[in-house]
Amino acid sequence: MYKVKVYITLRESVLDPQGIAVQSSLHALTYDEVQEVRIGKYMELTLAKSEKDVDVRVKEMCEKLLANTVIEDYRYEIEEVVPS
């Protein structure tokens, strides 16, 4: 079994209005040291072992469904889970 952690963020060149709103709210709460906020997505997937290459499969999932590769970047970590 595998646990996969997927991190998706807007590309640096893409405006992040949600991040700007959060930054403004933090400044309103006197957290003036915050210089930039970027909002992203985090997902955890649990995959059963199979004959298929897990790295290839996760990349396919990200590119076909989980991330909009036109405006988002993604990265992931794969951890093999040994049942107790």
Side-chain angles (χ1 to χ4, degrees):
M1 181 177 340
Y2 298 96
K3 177 182 256 186
V4 181
K5 298 176 182 179
V6 181
Y7 305 88
I8 299 172
T9 55
L10 287 172
R11 293 181 183 231
E12 280 296 320
S13 60
V14 176
L15 180 66
D16 185 353
Q18 190 177 9
I20 292 169
V22 170
Q23 178 184 353
S24 295
S25 296
L26 288 168
H27 287 177
L29 294 169
T30 71
Y31 296 109
D32 298 324
E33 64 271 22
V34 176
Q35 295 182 340
E36 183 179 20
V37 176
R38 303 286 291 176
I39 303 295
K41 297 180 271 188
Y42 169 76
M43 294 170 227
E44 284 188 5
L45 310 173
T46 303
L47 306 180
K49 286 199 176 205
S50 82
E51 297 297 317
K52 299 175 182 172
D53 184 303
V54 66
D55 191 57
V56 170
R57 299 293 283 171
V58 172
K59 185 175 180 180
E60 288 174 355
M61 290 178 209
C62 289
E63 293 186 0
K64 289 182 178 181
L65 177 68
L66 302 179
N68 177 348
T69 57
V70 174
I71 61 169
E72 295 174 322
D73 291 321
Y74 67 89
R75 66 181 175 84
Y76 54 88
E77 301 168 1
I78 301 171
E79 173 186 336
E80 190 166 357
V81 177
V82 179
S84 328

